[in-house]
Amino acid sequence: MNAIGPVEPGEGTAVPRPAGRRPGTGRDRRPTALRRRPLAAALTAALLLAAGVCLYATRPDVPSPAPPTPPAPSQLPFPAQVVDVTFVGPHAPPPGAAPQFFAFELLLSVDAGPEVTVTRVSQPYAGMSVATAPRTPFRTRAGAARTIVITLHVTECETVPENDGLPFLDVTLRNTRAIQEQSFILGPRYAHALSRALQVACSNDSG
């Protein structure tokens, strides 16, 4: 009976195997030290991260800077030093208003310091009253300007001059430093406009 078995290589015909590799395996045979380097690097990074977290968690509390101390009232400017009042021009009266009522626009500005409150506006003539819009008291902060409409009402023409070269307004001012009454001379334009309005109010001329 003939039997066929595995073919045996002849003498001197076997293919030589690569040195250092076991037959039938493809496992990496690099030195152990080279394969351990990535593991050591990862372990070092993890240790550094853990140390950073620990240092952050145990860091001492740094106190936040204290807010600036507000200046004492004695270091603040007086209200009359920082307030300016200028004449803008006549303000149109409402339709049907009597000539004894007339109005002007003023601009009040505050240059610096705390906000300033206007508590009163008056004028020196006994025969004339004054009202403001907005009504007093009103406030204006530093760096701002406010338009004020003053309405004058002539009640007695005999006690008001028709020509006043230096008319002024008395304004009472208040801030956290002091309360002051300041007289503001509004210049020749205001003097001319006031004289014209008084002539109309105290005569039969309504134009």
Side-chain angles (χ1 to χ4, degrees):
M1 182 176 181
N2 295 329
I4 301 175
V7 178
E8 296 289 337
E11 183 179 356
T13 63
V15 178
R17 296 186 181 91
R21 178 177 297 181
R22 294 179 183 179
T25 63
R27 182 180 298 175
D28 188 0
R29 305 298 297 174
R30 290 180 298 172
T32 303
L34 293 178
R35 288 186 283 110
R36 288 179 177 174
R37 286 179 182 176
L39 179 61
L43 181 59
T44 301
L47 290 175
L48 291 176
L49 178 61
V53 172
C54 182
L55 289 175
Y56 181 81
T58 59
R59 74 192 191 282
D61 292 334
V62 179
S64 57
T69 303
S74 60
Q75 297 175 331
L76 298 173
F78 287 96
Q81 294 175 331
V82 296
V83 170
D84 187 35
V85 178
T86 56
F87 175 68
V88 177
H91 182 77
Q100 288 78 19
F101 291 87
F102 50 91
F104 302 111
E105 288 186 10
L106 308 177
L107 188 67
L108 183 144
S109 59
V110 179
D111 296 333
E115 65 180 8
V116 175
T117 301
V118 176
T119 62
R120 184 170 178 265
V121 177
S122 60
Q123 49 78 43
Y125 307 127
M128 189 164 54
S129 63
V130 59
T132 66
R135 293 182 178 180
T136 56
F138 58 85
R139 299 175 179 178
T140 306
R141 68 180 185 275
R146 179 190 292 269
T147 299
I148 306 169
V149 177
I150 60 167
T151 300
L152 302 173
H153 175 209
V154 179
T155 57
E156 296 181 9
C157 290
E158 295 79 7
T159 60
V160 293
E162 294 186 1
N163 292 287
D164 189 348
L166 292 174
F168 60 90
L169 290 176
D170 291 324
V171 183
T172 304
L173 307 168
R174 184 185 72 216
N175 67 1
T176 52
R177 174 70 186 274
I179 299 177
Q180 291 181 297
E181 184 174 297
Q182 181 75 7
S183 296
F184 291 94
I185 299 175
L186 303 178
R189 291 181 58 240
Y190 174 69
H192 177 75
L194 178 61
S195 296
R196 175 60 180 164
L198 290 175
Q199 290 173 8
V200 172
C202 295
S203 66
N204 294 325
D205 182 10
S206 59

